[in-house]
Structures are given as C-alpha cells and as structure tokens.
Amino acid sequence: MTTTVGTTVGDVIATLEAAYPPELAESWDAVGLICGDPAAEAKRVAFALDCTQQVAEDAVALGADLLVVHHPLLLRGVTSVAANTPKGKVIHTLVTGGCALFAAHTNADSARPGVSDKLAELVGIVPGRPIKIVDKHARDLWGVHIPPNDVERVMSSLFAVGAGQIGNYTECAFSWEGRGGFTPQQGADPTDGKVGEHYSAAETRVQFVAPSRLRSRLVTALREAHPYEEPAFDITAMESDVNPETATGLGRVGELPEAMTLREFTQQVADALPATAWGVRAAGDPDRMVKKVAVSSGSGDSFLGDAAKLGVDVYVTSDLRHHPVDEHLRAGGPAVIDTAHWASEFPWTTQAEGIVSNSHESVDTHIITRRTDPWTISAHPAQTD
C-alpha cells in the first residue's frame, strides 16, 4: 500500500525559487535548503527573517514542516553542527522537530517583487529601477592564453563549469595561434623558462562567453587546470539590453507623490516600519526638501555612491557607519536615513507568505512575529532643567 503525500517541502521550495531565482543571488551567498527532506510533506510553513534559537523553537511549537527565512543560518562556514554549538543547536532543534529550513537571501533582494520592493512601498514610493542591476542573463566575454598542448584539458575544465553555452549549443569557443612571452622574477616558479631569463613560446588564445554569475567559479577552475603559475586571461562584461525600470537588482528608486522635508519623511519611515529600540535616524539638513528616494533593505552603505549617481534626494537603508556617511555627505551626496536592519527586511515575510499561500491552498502558513533585532535598549541623556 502506497501513502500519497500532498504538497511537499520540495514543492514549496520550487514555488519560492520561481519567485526568487537562485541565480540572482550574489556569488558569496548561500541560499536554498539548509536542512530537511525535500520529499517530506509540508502541511504548515512558517516565515521569519532570522532563524535564531527562539525562532526555531517557535517553528517547532507551531508544528511547521518548513521554516522560510531571509538570512542564511550557515552563511559563514562552520566545522561542526554539534548540538552544543549555537548554530548546531538550531539545526538539531529543527531536525528533531521535523522542520526543514530554507533561505532566500540576496536572490530575494534582487527579485521583482523582492525585499526592497516591499520596503519601497512602505516608505511611500512606487518601486522603479534597482540601484544596482543584477541581470541573471548577464554574460562575460573571456580571453584565455593556453599552451597548445593543454588547450583541450583546460577548456574541458571550463566547459564543465558552464562556459561556452550559447542557446542550445555548448562548448562554444573561438581560438587562434600566437606567441606569448614573459620574464620570471625572483620568487616565481615557472612551468616553462628560467628565473631572470625572458621566455617565449607558442600559445593559443581561446575566447568564449559565460554567465557573469559563474565568474568566480571559472577563475578557480582556470587556475586549477592551467599549467602556468600565473595564467593570462581577461574578462569583459558584455552590455545588457534590459530595461532598468523593470530590471531585477538590489535596491529600488522611486518618487514620493509630493515633496516633503527630510524631517517629515524620516517620521514617515519610522511610522511605516516595525518598531525597534533602535528607531530611525537621519543624516542631512532636516529642512531639506526630498522627493526622489532610493531604498535598499539591509546593510546598504556600499551603495552610497551609487545612490548619489542616480540623483536621489534621500537614501533609506540600514547598518550605516560613521565614516562612510560623513564622507558621503561632505562629497555632496543625498541625505541618508538609517533604519534597524531587522525593521527594513522583516516586512518581506508577508510577501513570501503570500507567494506560498496563493500557490498552495492546502498549506497552512504562519508568520513568526518575534522581533529578532538584537538591540534592546536606546538611551538618551536625561533632560535637566
């Protein structure tokens, strides 16, 4: 007798990955299923921003078969998930409680709609173009110089990673013969030639295209397969033909219906986001009029320069630091609003929950509202007469 399983963990993950394609994730990210069995039945799915120990316990207490979070639990490498380690304890709580764990991180940031779309709507703008476009179809043009006898071996390694695919064709490349030369300096360990003597030999230049998202993996594969200590290669990003206004990517830009002062807009942001002890703070002239707004959920000081180039009046993000903001303002950049990281991203859970509940009627969904912002106190000097 066979038991029929309804909606599985894998079915829910497929729905989430259709909305938040994994290929949109940044190269350093770790998205997807963290623990659990994709074939297990998913009757109840819980949503949270972080998988802290308390959140894991909440999910198990709810009877959740899957916990969906934004921040990956194992983003930074660990050598153990023993139950007496903080992350290991979380994993053991979930596994013994029959709850799988799935993360949609920078892929959910870049997707449309994504995390920053929700933030944009909350602060009062219609989300337009990204601050940084992330095109899942973006490609690089590579040029690699290889000794003739090693061309087939090196290219096989690169093709295995995903280089050279154009439409329905694989292993696409163009090559021509030439000569390469170099002079090894002290400390070099050349495959060919001697330290201090110029060396010249036949080389083959091979050109091919590859998805930009594979760049770091291809560099690693090239260095491992190439016979030279320092292989010669170049990478050129190919022009994208995507419409910036509808492109996927990090952050969003839009305009307020009416201009208002920075002071008024800061209060509007504070009123719109979940409350935290941190609150909301701003840098810039409080009476400055603002209308064009950029937002980036989570830590966003790396986009200060990009926001300035887009000509916005104010940039809303989180986790801002003293020196980058000071230098940004002294360079004439837009005003900046700094929110708590948790507050700028937690509203995304309603978006993710809606995606699952609309696609799987048999699945019960639940948002864990526990505040996982680590800051618990905000103090100011007592007023004196």
Side-chain angles (χ1 to χ4, degrees):
M1 178 178 177
T2 31
T3 304
T4 303
V5 177
T7 302
T8 66
V9 168
D11 293 333
V12 176
I13 288 174
T15 297
L16 288 165
E17 290 190 336
Y20 308 127
E23 58 265 33
L24 290 177
E26 297 292 289
S27 60
W28 48 264
D29 206 356
V31 302
L33 185 64
I34 297 166
C35 69
D37 182 0
E41 189 168 14
K43 293 182 178 180
R44 175 168 292 179
V45 179
F47 300 82
L49 189 71
D50 306 285
C51 186
T52 62
Q53 181 61 36
Q54 289 179 316
V55 168
E57 292 172 3
D58 289 343
V60 171
L62 283 166
D65 304 297
L66 172 64
L67 172 61
V68 177
V69 295
H70 183 50
H71 294 140
L73 178 67
L74 305 178
L75 180 58
R76 291 183 173 86
V78 296
T79 57
S80 169
V81 287
N84 61 349
T85 64
K87 291 185 178 182
K89 186 177 181 180
V90 170
I91 294 292
H92 278 258
T93 299
L94 293 171
V95 171
T96 57
C99 183
L101 177 63
F102 172 86
H105 192 209
T106 54
N107 51 326
D109 288 329
S110 284
R112 296 193 81 110
V115 186
S116 284
D117 292 281
K118 188 64 179 178
L119 175 60
E121 293 164 3
L122 285 174
V123 304
I125 64 172
V126 175
R129 64 155 294 154
I131 297 174
K132 175 192 172 185
I133 293 175
V134 177
D135 179 9
K136 65 180 180 180
H137 300 298
R139 295 189 301 172
D140 295 328
L141 175 64
W142 285 67
V144 180
H145 295 256
I146 312 169
N149 292 338
D150 296 285
V151 170
E152 184 175 350
R153 180 178 57 80
V154 172
M155 291 309 302
S156 292
S157 296
L158 297 177
F159 290 148
V161 176
Q165 182 169 341
I166 302 175
N168 294 324
Y169 295 84
T170 59
E171 301 184 3
C172 301
F174 181 80
S175 62
W176 64 96
E177 304 304 319
R179 291 191 68 83
F182 51 84
T183 303
Q185 300 298 312
Q186 194 66 38
D189 182 20
T191 302
D192 296 311
K194 297 180 179 180
V195 172
E197 297 180 9
H198 188 74
Y199 176 81
S200 179
E203 285 188 352
T204 301
R205 177 174 171 86
V206 183
Q207 284 191 324
F208 57 89
V209 296
S212 299
R213 60 186 169 81
L214 297 179
R215 188 180 296 179
S216 62
R217 290 176 58 193
L218 285 168
V219 170
T220 299
L222 173 61
R223 292 191 181 280
E224 289 177 351
H226 202 285
Y228 284 177
E229 184 180 27
E230 291 292 345
F233 64 96
D234 51 87
I235 309 169
T236 304
M238 300 175 70
E239 286 292 328
S240 173
D241 59 357
V242 299
N243 179 357
E245 292 303 312
T246 57
T248 53
L250 301 170
R252 295 290 183 267
V253 178
E255 291 195 356
L256 296 166
E258 301 289 338
M260 62 179 69
T261 64
L262 175 61
R263 178 184 287 106
E264 292 169 331
F265 182 58
T266 303
Q267 187 61 55
Q268 179 167 301
V269 172
D271 292 341
L273 297 186
T276 61
W278 177 301
V280 173
R281 59 184 180 178
D285 180 357
D287 297 317
R288 173 180 180 170
M289 301 300 291
V290 299
K291 192 171 194 302
K292 189 174 183 180
V293 180
V295 302
S296 180
S297 56
S299 303
D301 62 7
S302 62
F303 293 144
L304 285 167
D306 298 282
K309 290 176 184 176
L310 291 171
V312 303
D313 302 311
V314 58
Y315 174 41
V316 182
T317 188
S318 307
D319 294 345
L320 292 173
R321 296 170 295 160
H322 174 92
H323 292 295
V325 171
D326 174 57
E327 292 168 6
H328 163 80
L329 294 176
R330 286 192 284 115
V336 176
I337 294 179
D338 188 18
T339 76
H341 190 125
W342 177 83
S344 73
E345 294 186 325
F346 176 75
W348 162 81
T349 57
T350 63
Q351 182 190 98
E353 186 273 339
I355 289 168
V356 173
S357 62
N358 290 336
S359 300
H360 302 283
E361 294 182 359
S362 64
V363 174
D364 179 33
T365 56
H366 184 91
I367 295 174
I368 296 174
T369 58
R370 182 183 295 278
R371 188 175 74 181
T372 53
D373 181 57
W375 307 104
T376 57
I377 298 172
S378 176
H380 295 271
Q383 296 294 322
T384 57
D385 295 333

